[in-house]
Amino acid sequence: MADDYPKVDRVMGGPAGWISIAFPAVLFLYFLGLLPQIVTGPQVHGIDWVPSLGIRLSVLLDGLSMTFALLITGIGTAVTLYSARYLGQHPDYPRFVCYLLMFMVGMLGLVLADNMISLFVFWEVTTIASYLLIGFNADSAKSRRSALQALLLTGTGGLVMLGGMIILGNVAGTFELSQILEMGDMVRAHPWYMGILLLFLAGAFTKSAQVPFHFWLPNAMAAPTPVSAYLHSATMVKAGVYLMARMNPALGSTEAWFWILTIFGGITAVLASVMALRQTDIKQTLAYTTLMALGSLTMFIGAGTHYAIVAAMTFLVVHSLYKAALFLMIGIVDHATGTRDATMLRGLRKAMPLTGLAAALAAVSMAGIPPMVGFVGKEFMYKAGLGLDGFGAIWVTAMIFAASAMMFVTGGIVALKPFAGDLAETPTPAHEGPWPMLAGPLVLGGLSLFFGLVPGVLGHYLVGPATHAVEGEVHEVHLYLWGGVNTALILSLLTFLAGWLLYRSHESIRARLIAFEARSPIDFDAGWDRLLDGFKAVAGWQTRLIQTGSLQRYMAVTFASFVVLVGGTYLVKGAFGAGLGLTTASVHPVQWTVLALIAVGSILVVWTHSRMTAVAAMGVVGIGVSLIFIMFSAPDVAITQLLVEVLVVVLVSLAMLRLPYLPRRSKASFRPGHALIAGGVGVVTTFLTISVLGSPFDRRLTTFFEAASYPEAHGRNIVNVILVDFRALDTFGEITVVAMAALAALALLRGTAPRKEEN
């Protein structure tokens, strides 16, 4: 982020900075203390939130959620420490801290939630927070566009996923994940399984930027560097991976699950790796390597074997460590040199030795070179691919080989080339970064080395329990740095060779990729713009068609929609014949008289050419309805109806005397379109009423109010008690709406009063 904003004199961001550092640090220590307990087995805690809907604020603590929680809080501590120095003097830094902590809390709630509905709530919190963070530089059109793109794409995917959650909750009879994950056989055998799977994957694929939704993630680089580091390593983009891993016991182990995840994951991994070589901005280069990692994680979760899940959980930690370190390193380089252009950076090791050390540790792990933990992860990925059957083994192994070779090249581009050779001239003279910005990359790079040398610690406390949670059963997990000479090791050596050969010619490859991209008709990002333009065009056409300023048009569209949607549903369901067997033998002659009065009033409304007569006729219809209420022992409702009808007739008549004359839009005495809509509304409403009356009456609410009205509300008139006590806030809201409508009507009438001519 360029330092072109007015500075505010703060030490480490002031109170906001210290709070932002302390919050994740304390949480990290808390979760670290819980780790020995989680290793022995999962824990579930919670309280009822909306009991009537089966929604709980429940927490599921197991190996998967604990691994994510430690990554979120641990890397969050490094990012907030870095941010306090990187952005601490920005005038809007306190706002940035609010957004970042909101992001952190949303992600923590997401990975810890045991209830699917509460998981969705936190899912959308991360969507909103990422929108605010990506668009933090609100003066930049690019930031605003990227933020809106991320919001619309991931938000839409989240809403689609909510549909899958609701269906799955109804199928399983519960929204608690800890219970649903034990019903895998039942869920997979259900006729709605495929629909549930596709709805869930829509949310996961948009959030974790799988092809064809991958284009929003590189654009999110418009965010400040600390946000990019956090977004790519431990938070939002991993949410989709978390969801797929979490739902594996319930939705996995099917052909559809295997092929959808392995194909889309493999394509994403390789395509992103190729696109990473095309970039000159090293921050953009890293953005595409994140897509490679997300595709690989998706592919191995889809593969579903024991070694595939171990590989996925190991690579999850590996990627988080090196990616956060590299993004923070790039921020230091940008801060110290004024550029991120790979073609301009060279020889920085002399001016920035500690930054170079952090870059080397992280890049070597990303390239999968021993003794870093990245080598351990790559070995297990090859082992998992080779352990599959048939074409699946060929596909997964080939995809991971291609992606890993290009990751080797990327490591050289972002960490070797900028620091090797002679020092090149940069916009700002290169200098070492301050310790708050160096601490995170050095610690994360050091952890990559530590876990590579002692992989058993990682396997025992994180990868093993996480693997158990994803598989839904306990298997022994043993991570190792050296597994002997085997096929996986040979593939690793071939990866290094292929990566080195590609690195030596990466500049010519970049030139060819740029030329190919210029000629390619496929551009997902431009396609997104065309999609939005299409939506705007449809919205404009719809507005011109409907929003004409004519109340008559608005009413016609509203009632026609009612007829089409409700009547169409009746036709599809074959429900129009439900009330044809009713008889009129029980209708009293007095009731027939009232019905005749209503019919005469209705006919007069549509027959007369006088608006005043039509209003009076409608009042007759309303009075007839109030008489029906009296006949069926509902005097309170009848009085209300009668008062409303009288007031409407009087007030509308008075208003019409004050309103200006409005000429008729049509001279025709008969308008078939209006008649068709009116008749359709009458038919559909009639059958809807008959259907309701023909359905079994559920007396639960009636019984409750009968039993509770006097002892709890001290009233014998049940209707009054409901309005005044049980739904007092609702009644107050209705009174407020009526009062506002009355004030608006008064203002309208006063505004139409004729003005006296001035002398």
Side-chain angles (χ1 to χ4, degrees), residues 12 48 73 290 365 387 394 456 485 493 733 742:
M12 294 294 290
D48 288 335
T73 54
T290 298
S365 184
I394 299 173
V485 178
L493 296 176

Side-chain angles (χ1 to χ4, degrees), residues 324-398:
L326 287 173
F327 265 116
L328 297 178
M329 177 274 296
I330 288 174
I332 297 173
V333 171
D334 187 20
H335 185 80
T337 66
T339 183
R340 300 192 304 255
D341 192 333
T343 62
M344 297 177 61
L345 295 170
R346 190 170 64 253
L348 297 178
R349 71 184 188 282
K350 297 177 181 178
M352 309 174 66
L354 293 178
T355 304
L357 175 61
L361 290 172
V364 170
S365 184
M366 181 172 74
I369 299 173
M372 308 302 290
V373 71
F375 176 77
V376 178
K378 184 159 58 59
E379 287 284 286
F380 272 87
M381 286 194 287
Y382 278 133
K383 190 169 185 177
L386 294 169
L388 297 174
D389 297 327
F391 179 73
I394 299 173
W395 171 262
V396 172
T397 305

Side-chain angles (χ1 to χ4, degrees), residues 88-168:
Q89 294 182 325
H90 195 289
D92 292 327
Y93 176 69
R95 175 166 63 90
F96 173 83
V97 167
C98 290
Y99 296 164
L100 191 64
L101 294 185
M102 175 185 174
F103 196 29
M104 186 181 302
V105 170
M107 194 65 196
L108 276 174
L110 190 159
V111 301
L112 295 175
D114 186 41
N115 185 278
M116 287 194 296
I117 304 301
S118 58
L119 185 153
F120 169 77
V121 171
F122 288 112
W123 183 282
E124 292 304 283
V125 168
T126 65
T127 298
I128 296 170
S130 66
Y131 167 75
L132 297 172
L133 287 168
I134 296 170
F136 178 70
N137 301 320
D139 293 336
S140 168
K142 181 180 179 182
S143 295
R144 296 195 301 271
R145 177 186 181 274
S146 300
L148 183 62
Q149 186 180 73
L151 174 70
L152 293 177
L153 197 58
T154 60
T156 302
L159 292 175
V160 174
M161 179 190 70
L162 177 62
M165 289 179 169
I166 293 173
I167 297 173
L168 179 58

Side-chain angles (χ1 to χ4, degrees), residues 550-565:
S550 169
L551 180 61
Q552 186 180 94
R553 174 67 64 88
Y554 297 159
M555 294 179 67
V557 170
T558 301
F559 287 120
S561 300
F562 169 78
V563 172
V564 171
L565 295 177

Side-chain angles (χ1 to χ4, degrees), residues 616-639:
M618 289 180 64
V620 172
V621 174
I623 292 172
V625 173
S626 67
L627 292 175
I628 291 177
F629 287 140
I630 292 175
M631 293 177 184
F632 287 93
S633 303
D636 288 350
V637 181
I639 292 172

Side-chain angles (χ1 to χ4, degrees), residues 379-524:
E379 287 284 286
F380 272 87
M381 286 194 287
Y382 278 133
K383 190 169 185 177
L386 294 169
L388 297 174
D389 297 327
F391 179 73
I394 299 173
W395 171 262
V396 172
T397 305
M399 293 298 102
I400 205 61
F401 179 86
S404 296
M406 284 181 277
M407 289 287 282
F408 186 99
V409 181
T410 305
I413 293 173
V414 300
L416 175 61
K417 187 175 181 180
F419 293 91
D422 297 327
L423 183 62
E425 184 178 352
T426 54
T428 302
H431 58 278
E432 188 60 273
W435 75 265
M437 296 172 67
L438 283 168
L442 287 171
V443 170
L444 294 170
L447 286 174
S448 293
L449 177 60
F450 172 76
F451 286 135
L453 295 173
V454 192
V457 175
L458 180 64
H460 178 71
Y461 287 103
L462 292 181
V463 174
T467 300
H468 302 159
V470 177
E471 290 188 287
E473 53 190 25
V474 178
H475 291 108
E476 183 180 357
V477 173
H478 175 61
L479 297 185
Y480 49 80
L481 181 63
W482 174 252
V485 178
N486 51 36
T487 307
L489 178 63
I490 295 172
L491 286 174
S492 293
L493 296 176
L494 291 175
T495 301
F496 300 151
L497 177 61
W500 175 250
L501 294 175
L502 289 172
Y503 177 74
R504 289 178 62 87
S505 56
H506 75 273
E507 292 183 354
S508 61
I509 293 174
R510 178 189 296 144
R512 292 189 180 94
L513 289 173
I514 292 174
F516 174 78
E517 184 180 41
R519 296 192 303 269
S520 174
I522 301 175
D523 188 338
F524 288 96

Side-chain angles (χ1 to χ4, degrees), residues 693-729:
L693 294 175
S695 302
F697 183 61
D698 188 346
R699 287 188 53 86
R700 284 180 295 175
L701 282 178
T702 305
T703 304
F704 168 77
F705 287 125
E706 288 175 349
S709 290
Y710 185 73
E712 294 188 16
H714 307 288
R716 297 185 183 278
N717 188 314
I718 297 177
V719 174
N720 289 348
V721 167
I722 292 172
L723 293 175
V724 176
D725 292 279
F726 289 110
R727 47 171 287 187
L729 287 177

